[in-house]
Amino acid sequence: MLGLSGYEIIEKIYDGVRTVVYRGIRNRDQQPIIVKIIKEEHPTLEQIANIRQEFILTQNLDCTGIVKTYSLETYQNSFALILEDFGGQSFYEFMAANRLSLIEFLKVAIALSETLIYLHQVPIIHKDIKPSNIIINPQTRQVKLTDFSIASRLELKNQTISNPNLLEGTLAYMSPEQTGRMNRAIDYRADFYSLGATFYEMLTNQLPFTTTDPMELVYCHIAKQPVPPKEIAEITQAVSDIVMKLLAKNAEDRYQSAAGLKFDLETCLQQLQTTGK
């Protein structure tokens, strides 16, 4: 297993296309940690730059809804990113074994909207919000956002037209403007679309668009309306409307702030808890 000086590695918890993630202990203080490394033995300069950029971008973030970054260690031909371990698992794994009630969903959604309020004020765009980048502690239900490998300081950024397999982000959750086919800049509202796709999956146990063909998926994000989640799962019209607003094709038709989103979610939760509907 991974041999990293100063750390005891316990188990591998994620083996992806580009990165591998381990759970371990920091020897000097027995602090539980997560270690993220580049999978390739000889990573490209771009891959090395990305993991350094992730460290630089996140090392000073101070938000309970974001996985803390502890340090960047030299490892073989690259670096190892040392992160907080709060006893969580990816929401993708959590959803496979658990089904949230509507009240539980709203609490998770409110927590994530609070994190986006902080993040967009920094200001940073995450650009890859999805269940596998949301970590949840199964016991406490605390949720945190992780994986800032393609995040960037908030600035108007034009996505150039390119092969859909080479786009930044995860195609199933990607905003229309991130696909490079909209001829418009990417801003913080791209995160709202990805959050909408994530909420949709949390509520219905399926993605807004289920095709696996990359070009068809790009077309769906740009031009096709998903089936409202209310027609798939037993949820209220109000919650379904919130998700559909997040999934609006044009950024101007989505929520314009995470605070506005949080307000609507809190209103739904308050009404559900006091009136049962």
Side-chain angles (χ1 to χ4, degrees):
M1 199 175 276
L2 184 72
L4 185 62
S5 179
Y7 300 88
E8 179 186 343
I9 303 303
I10 298 169
E11 61 177 334
K12 182 191 291 184
I13 57 174
Y14 174 75
D15 193 343
V17 177
R18 298 180 184 86
T19 58
V20 184
V21 179
Y22 298 88
R23 176 170 272 127
I25 300 288
R26 187 166 59 192
N27 292 337
R28 63 180 166 85
D29 56 5
Q30 297 301 295
Q31 174 76 36
I33 49 92
I34 298 294
V35 182
K36 175 181 175 181
I37 64 165
I38 299 169
K39 188 169 187 174
E40 292 180 27
E41 189 177 344
H42 299 285
T44 64
L45 288 175
E46 183 182 7
Q47 289 172 321
I48 293 170
N50 281 349
I51 200 166
R52 287 192 73 236
Q53 172 67 10
E54 182 174 1
F55 170 70
I56 292 165
L57 209 59
T58 59
Q59 63 177 325
N60 294 319
L61 295 182
D62 184 19
C63 175
T64 56
I66 295 172
V67 172
K68 286 185 173 64
T69 300
Y70 290 148
S71 62
L72 188 67
E73 309 286 352
T74 302
Y75 175 70
Q76 293 184 352
N77 303 303
S78 179
F79 296 102
L81 192 61
I82 312 300
L83 304 162
E84 169 191 18
D85 181 6
F86 68 104
Q89 64 181 141
S90 79
F91 216 99
Y92 185 80
E93 293 174 312
F94 178 81
M95 286 192 302
N98 301 271
R99 193 67 188 267
L100 291 176
S101 68
L102 190 53
I103 284 179
E104 286 178 317
F105 163 77
L106 287 168
K107 288 178 178 178
V108 166
I110 289 164
L112 290 170
S113 64
E114 286 174 346
T115 300
L116 283 189
I117 290 172
Y118 172 86
L119 204 59
H120 293 164
Q121 284 175 342
V122 172
I124 288 174
I125 323 173
H126 188 280
K127 295 195 293 188
D128 199 18
I129 294 173
K130 57 183 178 180
S132 58
N133 284 342
I134 296 166
I135 309 298
I136 181 168
N137 181 302
Q139 281 73 48
T140 65
R141 293 296 201 260
Q142 183 181 20
V143 291
K144 298 189 182 225
L145 199 55
T146 192
D147 194 350
F148 286 73
S149 55
I150 63 166
S152 61
R153 288 280 171 184
L154 185 56
E155 57 185 350
L156 293 180
K157 179 179 177 183
N158 282 303
Q159 182 79 32
T160 55
I161 293 175
S162 60
N163 184 322
N165 294 313
L166 302 176
L167 294 175
E168 278 190 334
T170 305
L171 199 49
Y173 305 88
M174 189 178 289
S175 68
E177 58 269 28
Q178 276 181 274
T179 65
R181 267 67 175 178
M182 293 283 283
N183 192 30
R184 65 172 297 161
I186 298 169
D187 63 25
Y188 65 93
R189 292 171 296 185
D191 281 346
F192 294 149
Y193 187 94
S194 300
L195 189 65
T198 298
F199 285 173
Y200 193 104
E201 189 174 14
M202 287 179 181
L203 291 164
T204 68
N205 212 29
Q206 68 183 58
L207 287 161
F209 306 110
T210 54
T211 179
T212 55
D213 177 75
M215 290 306 297
E216 188 179 350
L217 201 45
V218 168
Y219 170 77
C220 288
H221 285 312
I222 293 171
K224 193 174 178 183
Q225 287 296 328
V227 175
K230 188 180 186 300
E231 297 181 21
I232 302 170
E234 290 185 20
I235 62 170
T236 65
Q237 184 67 52
V239 173
S240 185
D241 289 346
I242 288 170
V243 175
M244 293 301 285
K245 186 176 179 68
L246 288 166
L247 287 170
K249 304 301 181 188
N250 293 314
E252 292 79 12
D253 297 326
R254 296 174 207 146
Y255 280 90
Q256 300 303 294
S257 73
L261 170 62
K262 182 191 172 194
F263 178 85
D264 281 359
L265 290 167
E266 286 180 329
T267 302
C268 286
L269 179 62
Q270 187 267 332
Q271 291 181 3
L272 191 58
Q273 288 177 323
T274 54
T275 69
K277 62 182 180 180

